[in-house]
Amino acid sequence: MLELLQNLNHWDWLALAAVLLILEVFGTGGYLLWAGLAAALVAGLKFLIPELAWTLQLPLFGVLAILTAVYWWKRQRTSPALSDQPFLNRRGHELIGRTFLVQQAIVDGRGKIKAGDSVWMAEGPDAEVGTAVRVVAQNGVVLTVEIVT
């Protein structure tokens, strides 16, 4: 084993990088991507500095793997995830502030409104069918409305 370590060359590191990146394709969630990148970096260093001892290669691989992973983790946490559909998977939030007509009279604070092609439960002041109401909040599948004056 010691003889194998003493004879590590850049091809060994490139092979390790390739194996790690291939395994990453099978869905490890990014964990092996950074280790594969670190192995490729060590391969590049070993190619540029052929006399680099294995006692430096292994710790360098570990440090580079950690540094690349931490760098990406920090970058992901600081950059905002902008979307062209900010209310995707938050159904109903896009209705807040919009005006709709009462579909089923709001009596004792409960009724229904028609929003687009859907009918939503609504709570708010009593209102007759056809009254214009504005959505002010959402609580689960129930929209809170106020009468538009």
Side-chain angles (χ1 to χ4, degrees):
M1 179 71 166
L2 186 59
E3 185 178 329
L4 175 68
L5 290 175
Q6 289 174 340
N7 293 322
L8 281 175
N9 63 33
H10 65 280
W11 292 114
D12 297 321
W13 286 107
L14 282 177
L16 176 63
V19 168
L20 291 171
L21 294 175
I22 288 169
L23 290 174
E24 174 63 34
V25 170
F26 292 110
T28 62
Y31 297 109
L32 296 179
L33 176 66
W34 304 111
L37 180 62
L41 290 172
V42 172
L45 283 173
K46 181 65 177 169
F47 180 75
L48 294 174
I49 310 169
E51 64 275 358
L52 188 64
W54 71 271
T55 55
L56 292 175
Q57 293 175 46
L58 294 179
L60 185 62
F61 169 69
V63 168
L64 286 173
I66 291 170
L67 287 177
T68 55
V70 168
Y71 166 74
W72 186 253
W73 178 76
K74 283 188 175 185
R75 185 167 183 253
Q76 288 292 93
R77 294 189 50 108
T78 58
S79 62
L82 300 176
S83 171
D84 60 338
Q85 297 179 337
F87 297 116
L88 186 66
N89 295 330
R90 292 178 36 195
R91 186 159 187 232
H93 275 71
E94 74 275 4
L95 302 176
I96 295 175
R98 294 180 52 196
T99 302
F100 300 101
L101 298 178
V102 174
Q103 173 87 17
Q104 181 181 15
I106 300 175
V107 179
D108 295 328
R110 305 282 285 184
K112 294 183 180 180
I113 64 169
K114 183 161 178 73
D117 60 351
S118 300
V119 176
W120 286 77
M121 293 291 299
E123 57 184 26
D126 290 354
E128 296 297 320
V129 173
T131 305
V133 292
R134 180 179 301 112
V135 178
V136 294
Q138 177 193 10
N139 184 13
V141 296
V142 179
L143 300 174
T144 304
V145 297
E146 62 183 18
I147 296 176
V148 176
T149 53

